[in-house]
Amino acid sequence: MSIRLPSLSPDPDAPFPPGQSALRHPDGLLAMGGDLAPQRLLNAYRAGIFPWYSDDQPILWWCPDPRTVFRSDGVRLSSRFRRWLRRCDWVVRADTAFDEVIAACATTPRAGQHGTWITGAMIEAYRELHRLGYAHSIEVFDAGRLVGGLYGVSIGRMFFGESMFSARSGGSKVALSALAHRVREWGWPLLDAQVENDHLLSLGAESWPRSRFLEAVSRLTAEPDAAGSWSGRFGALRAAELAPARS
């Protein structure tokens, strides 16, 4: 059976179809076409929509149901990992190595996955969002060497995670924990993780009905929080600070 999808207008400011109209199979597929212009991407995230496609496909736009999210106070680390963290001398920063992080997310091998959805066009689009102060990288360093990280998009008081990687065991966990730690301090309640997998669930991710997620996104992206670099705002966070004194 063929799938008929709405095609987006060439105008990057043209509205998206409502997220609630996305297909059930495949879950969340909403529209196709358009481009990755900054304004279109920002409009997509404000509507709870994200691009996800391969090089041999047109641009595909998604709004799955349910939606995978982290509460900023809900990232869970095992007792063993927290004990290790308390002895860890890694340091976490933001927006000091965006290009390196997105390249690592695109090229790091993943179990059961061949190739990458982070195409050259996607990399350039998110680099432009980074230059505009909307896309951010969280970077984990060991003696100056990048050992893990993640990147995503922030609008208002909402962070939309896109991808993360580990060059050393635990690198992505530290990046996620540090992000949650900082945005919780800033009063941001929620992180979007898009689609669930066992790894995210083991770290405390929750599955929300799409309607609940879209309501939260509409509210949080409308709240004031200026775009711009996070390098000074985030500062340097020692990984050991992410482990409570008692566990």
Side-chain angles (χ1 to χ4, degrees), residues 29 39 73 76 99 114 123 165 182 192 206:
L29 183 55
Q39 191 57 46
D73 62 356
R76 293 197 307 261
D99 290 354
H114 303 285
I123 290 173
F165 83 98
R182 275 292 186 252
D192 176 31
E206 302 177 7

Side-chain angles (χ1 to χ4, degrees), residues 69-72 157-160 183 187-192 206 208 212-213 216-217 220:
V69 301
F70 284 95
R71 299 178 190 270
S72 59
R157 293 199 302 126
M158 180 72 197
F159 188 88
F160 302 88
V183 301
W188 299 24
L190 203 62
L191 307 171
D192 176 31
E206 302 177 7
W208 281 20
R212 179 185 181 190
F213 173 78
V217 166
L220 292 169

Side-chain angles (χ1 to χ4, degrees), residues 194-205:
Q194 297 183 347
V195 180
E196 77 172 37
N197 59 46
D198 289 343
H199 178 60
L200 296 178
L201 294 175
S202 73
L203 294 172

Side-chain angles (χ1 to χ4, degrees), residues 81 84-85 87-93 139-149 166-175 236-242:
F81 191 76
W84 175 82
L85 267 183
R87 303 187 301 273
C88 180
D89 58 3
W90 293 356
V91 176
V92 188
R93 300 183 184 275
E139 310 130 6
V140 185
F141 294 99
D142 178 12
R145 181 179 178 183
L146 187 66
V147 295
S166 292
R168 294 266 300 276
S169 178
S172 63
K173 290 182 185 179
V174 171
L237 179 62
R238 295 185 302 111
E241 296 178 56
L242 303 172

Side-chain angles (χ1 to χ4, degrees), residues 9 58 98 126 150 154 185:
S9 161
F98 184 88
Y126 286 90
L150 62 81
S154 72
E185 291 181 334

